[in-house]
Amino acid sequence: MKLKDGKKRKITSKSRLIEIYRNPLGHDLLCKVGIYFRKDRRWATRPFVRLLKLEAILAVAKGFGNEFLETLLRLINSTSTSISDKKLTQANESEGEARAWWKEAVIYQIYPRSFVDGRDEDGIGDLHGIITKLDYLKELGIDCIWLSPIYDSPNADNGYDVRNYEQIMKEYGDSNDFVELVNGLHERGMKLIMDLVVNHTSDEHEWFQHALNEPDSKYRNYYFIREGSKDTPPNNWDSCFGGSAWNYYEKQGVWALHVFSKKQMDLNWDNPDVREDVENMINRWLERGVDGFRLDAVNLISKMEDLPDGNKAIGQFMGYCGAENYFYGPHLHDYLNELSTKCFIPHGAFSVGETPGLGMEMSKLITDMNRDELNIVFNFDHLESGGHLRFDDYEYNLNWYKDYMCEWSEHYCNTHQMALYFENHDNPRMISKISRNPEHRTLLAKLLATLLLTQKGTPFIYQGEEIGMANKKFSSMDDIEDVESKGVYEKLLKETGSEKKAFAAILAGSRDHGRSTMQWSSAAYGGFSIVKPWFETDDDYLICNVDDQLRDSDSVLNYYKKLIALRRENEDFIYSDIKIVNEHVYNYYSYIRGGFFIECNLCQRTIVKPKSVPKKMMNLVKVFGNYNDNEPTRLRPYEATIYRIVKEHEHYE
Ligand code: TEU
């Protein structure tokens, strides 16, 4: 809210929720609080509730004391933008939506270590392996691949700890393989986006080695290095991989900050030299033919000045302490704008930010096409049902996803684009989160494919998702590779004293479920390699693999192919608005995209269609779905169908 002199009114504990809601950060924080308490996202806008004062809400929310209130107010008042920025957006909308290849593209994420072991047969995936699968990807209909990091790395976090940005990781190949890969993609009309990990570097990166060992070098200020005694870290922040976010170096008598593992040291983006080095590095890759980047944990790059202690209540809420001081830091917008103007825009490069913790309004600011920051972002709010964290053992409720999509679709305008995804290398397989019943596997995989490829946004498919790969059958911590899972296990073991409980959490949330080797065939090791892979899991490849599915016209893989082709042939799936129909019917999700009607059952029971729908059926012709026959009045478990609207429709509600 603006005062008469144009200044923004300060938000205080006496402010009403609706006033806070008008501030982008305030809006998103209120949503997060709602998610935590399993309220619906729009709880703060309901009649009466919207008029409550902040202090009244906090009085009922036990455990959130004064300190929490102060942190909240500091954060909200520190943002200079307000939701009225939407005006910018709406002005543009009347001119129609700008076209862009990355809105039309279907993007496929490759986790190189687990994709294909090509040339050297060492049980580790590599660039040559990827090259041998380019035709497979082209036939599937993929327009662009995103490669998880392939830079030189000691692999503390499988490449997300970069030792040298200029070199290709030895196990993956060399610069000739890289050139062959870029050419192979471009010859096929496909594009390449690389992972850009610049919130931190490996502790083995030469910048960090100089910083640590040469106190007077210019690199000292490239990181957050603080002198001090061994007993007291500079603040109370936790690493999101478990333990303190500070590592002590005995020999040098200093602490250094790492939000992730203790081999991933946070770069100090407030130092202009850091930004310049990073920008030059990015431009070198763009000159080598890269078409864009996925920017790792990029909303973490701007840390609050003086690195203040984290609020304990927020720490509890997030699972680790300190995040409010860096997840949406004071210079985030400036730094993103600088990257965009110095690197992405001059090269016409695409950018997708990985932005853990950001909500809808903050994401809109970052991706508004008038602000020149990022093209799109990966939001995380749909990945767990309300009130749950990834390591909770529970069944995901798809109505949560519907609610999320309804809200975002309502507020995202033509000047923003959503990134649509269910899986990546940081998450278990989505179908396993929803149901572990093997009878649902194929149905669910096809339902998710339908959602991914027919809603409005840029779809990202994660390797293996296209054949319906499921979670792995790990039997103990000996089967686990991931640095995060190991850290979280130690933490939970300390907290609960129970190996069983700690392992149950790992089994539910481990990133290793998505990092197992790709299942190409029923040959030994799933055709991933001819030698024992770096990460051996179970024998699911015998019943779920690419070769078998290529031969089966009814397979998940062929369903993906058909859907991608349908999307390509019909721009309705790209540029038409999404109109949600019967939004309030639980377990039922249906929407119109231009000349198409999509209808889904979100649960494992048969449900009756809303009364108004069957009447309209005469105007619809089934294109295809995950059941081959049709039932006019009911939807079977996880049923998903795409219809063409053949007659002028008016209302489907
Ligand atoms: O992830 C950032 C991130 O915050 C999370 O997704 C994270 O992996 C996890 O959920 C924390 O609890 C990115 C990468 O995608 C991830 O693989 C890396 O480990 C991480 O950054 C550090 O580079």
Side-chain angles (χ1 to χ4, degrees):
M1 179 170 295
K2 289 223 175 109
L3 298 176
K4 275 195 189 133
D5 58 6
K7 283 193 190 137
K8 267 201 319 165
R9 187 193 294 278
K10 212 171 160 211
I11 303 285
T12 68
S13 59
K14 307 262 182 258
S15 301
R16 296 187 191 277
L17 290 192
I18 194 65
E19 247 179 277
I20 300 169
Y21 212 70
R22 285 194 192 115
N23 170 293
L25 191 57
H27 170 281
D28 288 353
L29 291 175
L30 288 183
C31 288
K32 297 263 175 221
V33 173
I35 293 173
Y36 185 73
F37 289 106
R38 303 187 194 190
K39 298 255 173 249
D40 77 275
R41 287 185 175 78
R42 283 163 276 199
W43 68 282
T45 55
R46 301 276 175 243
F48 305 115
V49 179
R50 66 211 294 265
L51 297 177
L52 290 174
K53 292 184 176 158
L54 183 60
E55 59 186 8
I57 293 288
L58 289 174
V60 276
K62 293 179 200 90
F64 290 80
N66 266 347
E67 209 193 312
F68 175 75
L69 179 66
E70 278 162 29
T71 311
L72 200 68
L73 293 176
R74 175 171 56 84
L75 277 172
I76 297 176
N77 287 316
S78 68
T79 52
S80 55
T81 28
S82 79
I83 287 185
S84 63
D85 265 23
K86 241 186 342 262
K87 281 189 196 133
L88 264 180
T89 293
Q90 277 152 0
N92 247 12
E93 240 180 315
S94 56
E95 291 160 22
E97 182 169 359
R99 300 174 73 91
W101 71 262
W102 47 265
K103 293 184 181 175
E104 298 169 13
V106 175
I107 305 184
Y108 186 94
Q109 182 192 353
I110 291 181
Y111 196 65
R113 207 173 177 77
S114 304
F115 195 57
V116 197
D117 179 12
R119 185 173 286 137
D120 51 358
E121 286 142 13
D122 56 357
I124 298 176
D126 51 37
L127 297 189
H128 185 69
I130 299 173
I131 294 167
T132 64
K133 297 296 178 187
L134 292 184
D135 286 331
Y136 163 75
L137 294 171
K138 181 73 191 168
E139 273 160 39
L140 178 56
I142 301 303
D143 303 290
C144 173
I145 62 169
W146 148 28
L147 283 188
S148 275
I150 56 166
Y151 316 94
D152 171 53
S153 160
N155 281 317
D157 187 17
N158 287 350
Y160 283 92
D161 47 325
V162 180
R163 180 166 48 201
N164 185 338
Y165 291 104
E166 309 300 325
Q167 270 174 25
I168 304 287
M169 195 188 299
K170 255 203 227 94
E171 292 102 314
Y172 291 172
D174 56 26
S175 51
N176 293 331
D177 295 318
F178 179 75
V179 172
E180 198 183 328
L181 174 63
V182 174
N183 292 341
L185 282 163
H186 288 167
E187 277 158 18
R188 289 169 177 82
M190 293 157 87
K191 297 193 190 288
L192 171 67
I193 62 173
M194 299 259 283
D195 226 298
L196 189 64
V197 192
V198 288
N199 171 67
H200 45 268
T201 71
S202 162
D203 62 342
E204 296 181 30
H205 192 290
E206 61 173 3
W207 296 342
F208 187 74
Q209 285 305 313
H210 289 306
L212 183 63
N213 298 313
E214 299 156 31
D216 300 326
S217 89
K218 75 162 195 167
Y219 294 104
R220 187 68 158 201
N221 195 29
Y222 267 45
Y223 296 86
F224 298 94
I225 297 188
R226 301 285 182 267
E227 286 173 10
S229 92
K230 192 183 174 180
D231 316 315
T232 350
N235 68 25
N236 70 353
W237 297 3
D238 293 320
S239 150
C240 53
F241 287 169
S244 166
W246 293 91
N247 193 38
Y248 192 68
Y249 297 83
E250 298 260 359
K251 196 171 128 210
Q252 294 82 356
V254 295
W255 292 94
L257 177 71
H258 60 91
V259 166
F260 295 96
S261 87
K262 63 178 178 206
K263 284 187 67 68
Q264 292 166 294
M265 315 317 295
D266 283 67
L267 281 167
N268 174 12
W269 274 68
D270 296 332
N271 179 347
D273 291 343
V274 167
R275 303 204 297 277
E276 198 185 322
D277 276 353
V278 167
E279 285 153 8
N280 289 338
M281 177 272 286
I282 295 177
N283 284 335
R284 282 193 290 276
W285 281 104
L286 288 169
E287 273 139 33
R288 283 178 209 158
V290 170
D291 300 290
F293 291 98
R294 175 262 188 192
L295 292 90
D296 187 67
V298 73
N299 58 313
L300 274 55
I301 57 178
S302 167
K303 270 72 178 178
M304 196 76 82
E305 208 183 330
D306 299 331
L307 314 179
D309 269 345
N311 174 268
K312 295 211 178 80
I314 299 181
Q316 186 79 22
F317 176 91
M318 300 276 303
Y320 46 90
C321 193
E324 72 277 17
N325 294 303
Y326 55 75
F327 87 107
Y328 188 65
H331 304 294
L332 178 62
H333 291 294
D334 302 332
Y335 297 159
L336 292 179
N337 179 263
E338 187 177 318
L339 278 184
S340 177
T341 17
K342 293 196 176 161
C343 307
F344 305 142
I345 295 178
H347 287 92
F350 163 65
S351 56
V352 48
E354 190 219 19
T355 52
L358 289 200
M360 182 179 74
E361 290 297 337
M362 293 182 272
S363 304
K364 275 168 65 181
L365 285 176
I366 286 180
T367 59
D368 192 298
M369 66 177 244
N370 295 299
R371 293 169 53 92
D372 291 339
E373 294 181 28
L374 299 175
N375 291 135
I376 52 179
V377 291
F378 289 120
N379 178 267
F380 283 48
D381 287 348
H382 63 297
L383 290 176
E384 310 303 334
S385 306
H388 288 289
L389 295 174
R390 173 154 50 88
F391 288 99
D392 294 350
D393 191 5
Y394 74 101
E395 277 186 3
Y396 183 91
N397 183 343
L398 274 170
N399 286 286
W400 179 261
Y401 178 71
K402 168 186 163 185
D403 187 38
Y404 161 86
M405 285 307 299
C406 290
E407 202 206 0
W408 282 61
S409 307
E410 191 185 312
H411 291 93
Y412 252 47
C413 321
N414 285 346
T415 46
H416 314 99
Q417 169 92 341
M418 278 187 84
L420 301 174
Y421 77 102
F422 290 113
E423 294 184 3
N424 59 28
H425 64 292
D426 287 336
N427 283 282
R429 296 290 183 177
M430 194 64 176
I431 50 174
S432 306
K433 274 166 82 159
I434 301 169
S435 166
R436 289 173 207 161
N437 181 344
E439 275 175 34
H440 297 146
R441 182 171 181 176
T442 300
L443 286 171
L444 257 175
K446 291 180 180 176
L447 165 69
L448 296 183
T450 311
L451 294 171
L452 197 61
L453 288 148
T454 64
Q455 293 178 104
K456 190 165 165 73
T458 301
F460 288 78
I461 300 170
Y462 179 61
Q463 65 182 48
E465 195 173 4
E466 79 275 25
I467 53 168
M469 277 177 68
N471 277 358
K472 295 282 123 187
K473 301 181 192 90
F474 301 123
S475 49
S476 76
M477 281 308 285
D478 294 339
D479 296 340
I480 298 292
E481 290 280 342
D482 176 32
V483 60
E484 181 199 46
S485 297
K486 288 178 182 166
V488 170
Y489 179 80
E490 288 309 317
K491 183 174 160 225
L492 292 177
L493 195 57
K494 255 191 228 150
E495 281 168 19
T496 63
S498 154
E499 285 180 14
K500 203 170 154 208
K501 279 190 191 151
F503 185 62
I506 300 306
L507 212 47
S510 177
R511 307 192 296 183
D512 276 347
H513 288 300
R515 296 175 177 198
S516 60
T517 50
M518 181 69 188
Q519 299 175 181
W520 293 105
S521 70
S522 55
Y525 311 124
F528 162 77
S529 174
I530 55 165
V531 299
K532 195 169 150 53
W534 70 279
F535 185 27
E536 216 188 337
T537 55
D538 52 28
D539 58 4
D540 185 60
Y541 61 87
L542 295 173
I543 56 160
C544 171
N545 65 64
V546 171
D547 267 9
D548 289 352
Q549 293 203 14
L550 281 171
R551 283 192 291 267
D552 171 5
S553 60
D554 212 22
S555 66
V556 176
L557 182 59
N558 278 313
Y559 191 82
Y560 264 93
K561 261 196 196 175
K562 276 201 285 186
L563 264 173
I564 297 174
L566 183 73
R567 187 178 186 276
R568 184 187 303 282
E569 285 154 19
N570 296 281
E571 281 202 348
D572 294 21
F573 291 111
I574 298 161
Y575 292 111
S576 289
D577 285 342
I578 179 164
K579 182 177 179 302
I580 317 266
V581 178
N582 283 300
E583 182 177 337
H584 301 293
V585 182
Y586 198 66
N587 285 332
Y588 178 82
Y589 185 30
S590 68
Y591 46 90
I592 295 170
R593 297 295 311 280
F596 293 89
F597 176 67
I598 295 93
E599 190 181 42
C600 307
N601 176 0
L602 302 179
C603 74
Q604 50 181 277
R605 285 184 296 103
T606 295
I607 60 167
V608 176
K609 295 186 187 193
K611 278 208 193 88
S612 57
V613 174
K615 276 190 275 161
K616 309 288 172 189
M617 282 304 189
M618 59 188 76
N619 297 336
L620 302 173
V621 171
K622 179 169 172 172
V623 184
F624 58 86
N626 60 358
Y627 285 80
N628 291 328
D629 57 345
N630 228 0
E631 282 218 17
T633 57
R634 302 186 316 159
L635 286 172
R636 287 154 291 181
Y638 298 122
E639 183 160 358
T641 314
I642 301 162
Y643 297 92
R644 199 181 283 275
I645 302 170
V646 287
K647 263 202 210 157
E648 193 61 11
H649 62 278
E650 274 159 21
H651 307 288
Y652 281 80
E653 309 202 45

